Amino acid sequence: MSIFTVSAQKEDQLKEKMESLKIREEDIEESFIRSSGKGGQHVNKTSTCVYLKHLPTGIEVKCQEERSQALNRYRARVILTKKIEQLVRGKESEEIQRIEKIRRQKRKRSKRAKEKMLAEKKITSEKKRLRGPVGEKGY
């Protein structure tokens, strides 16, 4: 039977990831806190916020994204495994690779690359201008 209210496939993937990083359930201290914010009476009456602490590393995670405690338990474990992976694998971790990719994409273009890009844009705009009606070519 499934512990969380997610698909068995996702649950198995999480277990495999935790095993590969040598994260044991016994090393995780879990407690439930009453959530705050959106969700109305349901959130105010039940302890849906999940707090996890990984005892060997001291990493703490708090998750109150969903109204369901089971889903929050799953999400908190996913976040915890990502944080531990980042700590263990450092440069090779998926999260750091993703952040580096975004950083490269946002990096300012070199002057030469910018000039080349602007020249191509100018050519394209000229082509489009010439495609217009005959009377508006500026003759």
Side-chain angles (χ1 to χ4, degrees):
M1 187 171 148
S2 179
I3 299 171
F4 312 111
T5 55
V6 293
S7 67
Q9 184 184 3
K10 283 187 176 181
E11 197 174 323
D12 291 340
Q13 287 175 344
L14 177 63
K15 283 180 184 175
E16 286 173 23
K17 188 93 164 174
M18 287 175 75
E19 285 172 13
S20 70
L21 292 168
K22 296 177 179 66
I23 303 170
R24 298 185 348 230
E25 281 292 330
E26 302 85 60
D27 295 339
I28 299 174
E29 188 179 280
E30 183 176 45
S31 58
F32 305 99
I33 310 161
R34 207 163 271 170
S35 295
S36 61
K38 290 183 286 231
Q41 188 176 10
H42 176 78
V43 161
N44 298 333
K45 289 173 83 176
T46 57
S47 299
T48 53
C49 181
V50 178
Y51 168 82
L52 297 179
K53 182 175 183 178
H54 187 244
L55 300 172
T57 57
I59 294 175
E60 298 174 355
V61 170
K62 196 172 171 183
C63 181
Q64 62 176 29
E65 293 171 19
E66 302 292 331
R67 286 180 66 187
S68 157
Q69 188 183 75
L71 263 176
N72 282 333
R73 287 182 73 206
Y74 170 77
R75 291 227 169 139
R77 279 172 173 72
V78 170
I79 295 166
L80 183 72
T81 51
K82 282 183 179 178
K83 284 189 173 192
I84 292 173
E85 180 186 33
Q86 205 169 340
L87 182 76
V88 171
R89 298 211 172 118
K91 283 273 187 201
E92 302 96 55
S93 83
E94 293 171 19
E95 187 68 13
I96 289 179
Q97 285 179 353
R98 187 184 66 80
I99 291 167
E100 285 298 320
K101 182 180 179 185
I102 291 169
R103 187 176 288 136
R104 283 193 304 273
Q105 288 172 343
K106 288 185 175 181
R107 190 171 50 204
K108 197 174 175 183
R109 283 190 176 98
S110 68
K111 195 172 183 179
R112 188 174 176 191
K114 191 174 182 180
E115 286 170 358
K116 185 179 177 184
M117 183 261 310
L118 289 172
E120 287 173 9
K121 273 183 138 181
K122 194 171 186 177
I123 292 167
T124 307
S125 70
E126 186 63 21
K127 275 185 204 172
K128 286 188 172 188
R129 191 183 67 78
L130 292 171
R131 282 189 208 137
V134 178
E136 298 176 22
K137 289 191 178 164
Y139 295 119

